């Protein structure tokens, strides 16, 4: 190594450390672990107005959806799609009963979303969301976009149960 090279290495600024990937910044192709199950992120829906993301997670043939929202702290919930239908977004009830469990409307909102990868809605646009909770802390979620409803049943996830394994 030449003297010039040594002086250059001493004077050069060190590379900044790579920023650790968070669950909120995952994109299709990343790998994460949720409650000890390893998933590949295959899609992402982002609502910038609410600082919220819904990640499409795939483990073999199983597809789940991880909803992440940043409020005072990050809030995580994992949903599985369920079969069902509603007629119009104007007639979504405030109370839903599913398999003997009553769900009560907790929050209703709409916003512009951006999609990437494999998601239930192939393109971005206005999305309407109804979030429900039962007395035993089970979650129910309804999404409507472009004339299509998606129904999900889920549960809260503790931050300690989430881990980024590999990011792009």
């Amino acid at each position: 190594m030449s003297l010039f090279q040594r002086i250059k290495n001493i004077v050069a600024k060190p590379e900044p450390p790579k920023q650790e990937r968070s669950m909120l910044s995952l994109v299709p192709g990343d790998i994460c672990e949720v409650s000890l199950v390893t998933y590949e992120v295959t899609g992402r829906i982002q609502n910038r107005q609410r600082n919220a993301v819904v990640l499409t997670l795939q483990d073999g043939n199983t597809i789940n959806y991880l909803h992440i929202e940043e409020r005072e702290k990050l809030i995580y919930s994992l949903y599985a799609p369920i079969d069902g239908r509603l007629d119009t977004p104007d007639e979504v009830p405030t109370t839903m009963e599913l398999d003997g469990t009553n769900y009560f409307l907790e929050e209703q909102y709409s916003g512009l979303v951006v999609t990437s990868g494999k998601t239930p809605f192939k393109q971005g646009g206005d999305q309407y969301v109804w979030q429900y909770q039962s007395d035993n802390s089970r979650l129910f979620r309804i999404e409507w976009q472009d004339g299509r409803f998606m129904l999900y049943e889920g549960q809260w996830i503790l931050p300690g149960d989430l881990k980024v394994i590999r990011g792009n």
Side-chain angles (χ1 to χ4, degrees):
M1 183 180 276
S2 71
L3 181 61
F4 233 8
Q5 188 68 14
R6 289 181 185 179
I7 293 173
K8 182 181 172 187
N9 287 342
I10 292 172
V11 176
K13 293 181 181 178
E15 290 185 24
K18 289 187 177 181
Q19 188 175 13
E20 188 174 320
R21 299 291 304 257
S22 74
M23 294 298 287
L24 197 58
S25 66
L26 292 179
V27 294
D30 291 341
I31 306 292
C32 66
E33 186 177 282
V34 180
S35 299
L36 302 176
V37 178
T38 303
Y39 292 100
E40 176 186 2
V41 177
T42 59
R44 175 184 170 97
I45 298 174
Q46 182 175 12
N47 185 332
R48 291 189 179 131
Q49 295 165 331
R50 292 184 59 90
N51 202 15
V53 171
V54 176
L55 299 175
T56 304
L57 304 177
Q58 186 168 1
D59 174 36
N61 289 333
T62 305
I63 294 179
N64 288 319
Y65 300 92
L66 181 65
H67 179 257
I68 307 166
E69 188 167 2
E70 187 173 22
R71 294 184 182 180
E72 301 87 31
K73 59 181 181 174
L74 286 173
I75 299 170
Y76 304 97
S77 47
L78 185 65
Y79 291 94
I82 59 172
D83 290 332
R85 69 170 217 162
L86 296 167
D87 294 325
T88 67
D90 299 328
E91 298 177 5
V92 174
T94 58
T95 330
M96 298 283 288
E97 191 214 335
L98 180 65
D99 296 333
T101 303
N102 289 320
Y103 294 93
F104 304 98
L105 184 64
E106 187 177 73
E107 188 174 18
Q108 174 185 357
Y109 60 89
S110 64
L112 187 64
V113 295
V114 178
T115 65
S116 62
K118 297 178 182 177
T119 64
F121 304 103
K122 287 296 178 192
Q123 59 187 4
D126 276 334
Q127 183 181 63
Y128 294 85
V129 177
W130 294 264
Q131 292 186 156
Y132 296 79
Q133 185 172 345
S134 71
D135 289 337
N136 60 357
S137 295
R138 296 286 302 160
L139 303 174
F140 183 71
R141 180 178 171 95
I142 300 173
E143 296 176 348
W144 182 84
Q145 184 178 342
D146 294 331
R148 181 176 180 207
F149 278 102
M150 286 296 295
L151 306 165
Y152 310 92
E153 189 175 25
Q155 62 189 0
W156 300 110
I157 299 292
L158 298 172
D161 287 346
L162 300 164
K163 181 179 173 184
V164 177
I165 294 178
R166 185 189 73 198
N168 288 334

